[in-house]
Amino acid sequence: MADVTAELIFEVLKSVQARLAQVDGKIDELKQEMQASRTSQNGIRQEITSVFQEISGIHATLVRHEGRLDRIEHRLELDDMPAQ
């Protein structure tokens, strides 16, 4: 069995330390990518909310116009006419 010297242990520890530094770098990259993904997701969520609000506004306008049209048809007595 080979003699285990302090120098041999030191060399092994240096390589372990270098590999840990690489792992730390990769973890930092993953954290940045995750943050970018979250930021993108929040932007998409805000856009969807904006579209939903716009559609809700259009729906409310259509409901108001439908009510007005119903009242106009009723006043002109168009709602009781049979279809030809």
Side-chain angles (χ1 to χ4, degrees):
M1 191 160 142
D3 290 333
V4 178
T5 63
E7 290 178 15
L8 181 60
I9 293 174
F10 182 69
E11 290 300 318
V12 171
L13 288 176
K14 282 193 337 188
S15 70
V16 169
Q17 187 178 22
R19 293 181 89 187
L20 281 175
Q22 288 177 342
V23 170
D24 283 345
K26 293 294 181 183
I27 289 173
D28 289 341
E29 287 177 26
L30 289 173
K31 285 180 181 178
Q32 289 174 353
E33 288 177 15
M34 190 73 137
Q35 184 61 37
S37 179
R38 285 184 185 138
T39 301
S40 176
Q41 187 178 27
N42 285 337
I44 291 169
R45 183 179 293 124
Q46 289 173 351
E47 287 182 36
I48 289 171
T49 300
S50 175
V51 168
F52 177 77
Q53 290 173 344
E54 189 172 341
I55 289 172
S56 295
I58 291 169
H59 180 264
T61 301
L62 288 174
V63 168
R64 281 196 317 272
H65 287 307
E66 183 179 24
R68 292 177 72 188
L69 185 58
D70 287 344
R71 287 194 307 274
I72 291 168
E73 286 177 343
H74 182 71
R75 283 184 191 161
L76 296 176
E77 298 177 355
L78 297 175
D79 51 358
D80 296 332
M81 296 183 75
Q84 292 183 4

